[in-house]
Amino acid sequence: MKYVDEFRDGKLARGLAGAIAREADGARRYSFMEFCGGHTHAISRYGLIDLLPANVRMVHGPGCPVCVLPIGRVDMAIELALEHGVTLCTYGDTLRVPASKGLSLMKAKARGGDIRMVYSSADAVRIAQENPDKPVVFLAIGFETTTPPTAVAIKQAKALGLKNFSVLCCHVLTPAAISNILESPEVRQWGTVPLDGFIGPAHVSTVIGSRPYEFFAEEYRKPVVIAGFEPLDVMQAILMLVRQVNAGTAYVENEFSRAVSRDGNLKAQDLVAELFELRREFEWRGLNVVPYSALKIRKEYAEFDAECRFPLAYRSVADNKACECGAILRGVKRPQDCTLFGTVCTPENPIGSCMVSSEGACAAHYTYGRFRDAAA
Amino acid sequence: MAGVRPDYVRPLDLKHGRVDMTHGSGGRAMAQLIEELFARHFDNEFLRQGNDGATLPMPTGGRMVMSCDGHVVSPLFFAGGDIGCLCVHGTINDVAVMGAKPLWLAASFIMEEGFPLADLARIVESMARAAKEAGVPVVTGDTKVVEQGKADGVFITTTGVGVVPEGVTLSGDRARPGDVILLSGTLGDHGMAIMAQRENLGFSAPIVSDTAALHGLIAAMLETGADIRVLRDPTRGGLATTLNEIARQSRAGMMLEEEAIPVNPEVAAACEFLGLDPLYVANEGKLVAIVAEADAERVLAAMRAHPLGRKAARIGAVTADDHHFVQMTTGFGGRRIVDWLTGEQLPRIC
Ligand code: SF4
């Protein structure tokens, strides 16, 4: 606990806030995107917006694994549970992602699907081991952080000779999403989304290292500061970004050096490369089809690939027309701009995926920040 | 932006919907189910009080409180207690927070075929001990057995009855702007004790449930003669849910101070590890009191003088707010909403 407290010191935070206010140039605006849902959550949970001057704005990015999971993929998981008699295991928030026909995994569970929430991929392997007669599928979601544990689970299942375990792989890649945003017309041509820099992912970067961001910094002239998920990390990163913008520089800085190196975790990278390969394309909720942005299980491990074992076809399903998740995930709109926000769409009845996980922009604003709209 | 929209919840789909786990979590989904189904059909002036127990006029004069509570906790035995003492404490507390002196309990057991008698004996002994210590006997009961797989070990439902002393009126709709919010101790001990056991977290210092009967502490608080408006025990859904319920009943807002809210370091660490917020984790031996500002220090002193209120703290105040928001100044000086619990934070904890 001690370790955590050190990064939550209110006095230090106010000191950093003072420095940001002093150094931010009153004559200009600063617009930074925090890529990760973890940062979005920290900003909302600790009310960090209140500590920033009015001309420093944070734009929420697409780095919430639950938010970018497309409807069609959840539909596949529901189909596995309801039609193929599969025991489906997945991480908590995924259960609430709205899918087709008014269903979600949670609702499919109430309809008799054997759907279980697990805290780790190892739990799913254990469930397969304990129920040798039942096919068990782990719905694997997430960015580079959750991929190595999925790889470990598959290897473990292989070592145990499990014949009833497979993975529905929905792992996605951070750098592909960042380029997609930087290449979007709103940022590149129209400039409707001013982006002066990025707060780079914490946990993801412990795996992939800081090197992949060097390209963005250089090619797009945007500073990147990799930061931890603690509120003080976020404040420190914002200060570093303000300084880079003021100095006109655009390089990768590492605020999270207590955990991130330039090369990342090579062992984890090797493991992932051994089991997974790039998908030619993958649909993201909000970003549409992004080329080479996700992973699939290699042929050598096809027996652990649910997409090979079960007759499943991916069908793309459009979001509710009024849902602005796509624009929100690209930083073009804010949750309050959506007409469904807080009326038809609430955390109990999420219409779009941004309302599901507390790391999603809509849910974070609803749960922690909507009093601000009352004051506006 | 035309201000914030009022709390809107899509009506329940009674034709095609199904009960899912969120309907039992203590959060907004459960509140909605109660409101749109149970309260609508059972509607009467006592149910409309919307408290954990109903205050009823006795035909012979005076007022009594009646409260009922089902227990489905898993695991049945946990650090600091078991389902037996838990169901006694829980019901005594629901009666006591209405200002009543708890007098009698009834208990109904639903047992699963195959459940070891040794475990049942342990549970019943623990219940008896808790009832004896509290001075509130179990005076009637019922037992049913269902086939294997139709229940999980044993489910216990307890009902409690008590009498309200003259001059005491406690209800969730009595909080007024300017009132002070007091909390009797650390948050989240019960929920995290269960969670740590379920997830095999194996912390070096085990987290122990706070399960306890609060009627003694409450009696000491009432003895001060202070103007106590609301008492409630923040069980399922945690402090956040309890305060939102009170805010809604009283049509007021609240402002909390994060730094003032006591949390055991082990509980904070376990919450951190599992990504949970102690504000939403269940307690079984804590209460919140909403007290007139002028009397706050007196009540706080009485709480601290009692063994179950040693770590009591003043954690915030009631505010005037048409949106009935519960807000909090974070340890950082920023502000956030402390909303209703969404979805299901913890499975089967009480
Ligand atoms: S409020 Fe709901 S519908 Fe609107 S953008 Fe957010 S998730 Fe989509």
Side-chain angles (χ1 to χ4, degrees), chain A residues 322-325 328 335 338 340-341 345 351-355 362:
Chain A
C323 174
E324 301 279 13
C325 273
I328 290 168
C338 170
L340 304 185
F341 177 81
C345 184
I351 300 296
S353 52
C354 306
M355 193 54 103
C362 293

Side-chain angles (χ1 to χ4, degrees), chain A residues 291-306:
Chain A
Y292 299 108
S293 62
L295 298 175
K296 69 174 187 200
I297 297 170
R298 281 188 189 279
K299 267 205 296 301
E300 297 86 311
Y301 289 88
E303 57 175 313
F304 298 103
D305 186 349

